[in-house]
Amino acid sequence: QVQLQESGPGLVKPSQTLSLTCTVSGGSITTNYYYWSWIRQPPGKGLEWMGAIAYSGTTYYNPSLKSRTSFSRDTSKNQFTLQLSSVTPEDTAVYYCAISAGGLGHLEVWGQGTLVTVSS
C-alpha cells in the first residue's frame, strides 16, 4: 500500500520560499497514470488544491498560485517537492501530499500533513 510522508520546516519567514518534500513508500512516483498532488488547508478554511506532478514529470498548477509555485521530483529517492515563493502569513496552513490514479481526480491516499507557519 502506498504511503506518503510530508517533511520540511515548520516555520518560514515572510518573503522567503517554503519548501516541502513528500516521500513515497510502497509505490513508485513514476508508475504510469499516477498523479502526485499538493493540497493545503489554512486554519479555519477549506482545502485548496495547489497542483500536481504526474508520473511523466508533467506539472499542473492551480492558476491562483502558479506564479509562486514550483514542483519537482527526485526519482532516485522516490520523492517530490513543493516550493512556494514570496510567502506571507496567509500561506500558513497544513500542507498535504496525496495521490490520484488515472488522472487529476479523486485523491485516494493522503499524507498526514504538516503545519507550516509563516511568521517573522
Side-chain angles (χ1 to χ4, degrees), residues 22-84:
C22 184
T23 300
V24 178
S25 59
S28 171
I29 62 172
T30 60
T31 298
N32 280 349
Y33 313 121
Y34 278 10
Y35 294 76
W36 307 88
S37 286
W38 287 99
I39 307 100
R40 68 179 183 177
Q41 184 170 30
K45 297 185 179 181
L47 294 167
E48 178 180 35
W49 180 78
M50 302 180 69
I53 185 165
Y55 61 97
S56 60
T58 302
T59 52
Y60 304 85
Y61 294 97
N62 183 326
S64 68
L65 295 168
K66 185 177 181 179
S67 64
R68 299 195 292 130
T69 308
S70 177
F71 304 129
S72 61
R73 64 180 185 172
D74 186 335
T75 56
S76 67
K77 295 181 179 179
N78 216 33
Q79 296 174 332
F80 60 104
T81 62
L82 160 70
Q83 289 195 315
L84 181 66

